Amino acid sequence: MPVRFASDMGQRPALHSFISGMGERAAVEQLAGLRIGAPLRLRRIARPVRGCSVEILGPAGAPLGWLPREDEAALETLGLAPEEAELRVAALVPAFQRPRVQIQILLPDSVEEVAPAA
């Protein structure tokens, strides 16, 4: 997977999402090390948890949380396998107890336009 910088993130089509379930999955130490532009990975799990079946892993491979179900469906619609998706931390938003982590799932150049979520 090629390395991309945070400044490159806006130049490719992308799905914008967030990490769900961080309070249950991510350790505070893992969150403290996240930076904008940090690469993340997706991994499909065998048994869905609260309906989510795609886990988001941090740069070191530790689980951070889940990809929301509607975004899983968007990946399927586009024909993208979660394990092959390229994603990055897009923003860290301060919040009570734990930050909110927004992500970008970078799309292949062949996907020209993605309809906004309703």
Side-chain angles (χ1 to χ4, degrees):
M1 178 177 350
V3 174
R4 297 193 184 277
F5 297 98
S7 61
D8 296 336
M9 292 170 56
Q11 297 180 11
R12 285 178 56 192
L15 295 175
H16 300 272
S17 188
F18 63 95
I19 300 177
S20 176
M22 285 184 8
E24 301 166 358
R25 300 290 292 162
V28 175
E29 304 81 36
Q30 295 162 344
L31 297 176
L34 287 180
R35 300 289 178 259
I36 293 174
L40 303 172
R41 289 186 306 126
L42 297 178
R43 174 176 65 188
R44 186 171 298 282
I45 60 167
R47 287 189 178 175
V49 175
R50 293 188 196 159
C52 297
S53 60
V54 176
E55 188 173 43
I56 298 175
L57 306 174
L64 298 176
W66 307 101
L67 185 67
R69 288 178 293 224
E70 55 274 8
D71 295 332
E72 287 181 39
L75 286 181
E76 281 184 28
T77 300
L78 293 169
L80 298 173
E83 292 77 13
E84 296 172 3
E86 183 180 349
L87 66 149
R88 301 283 187 257
V89 174
L92 301 168
V93 181
F96 180 69
Q97 294 184 353
R98 290 182 188 251
R100 305 288 185 240
V101 179
Q102 296 177 348
I103 62 172
Q104 283 186 329
I105 302 170
L106 302 174
L107 300 175
D109 293 331
S110 61
V111 178
E112 296 188 13
E113 185 174 322
V114 178

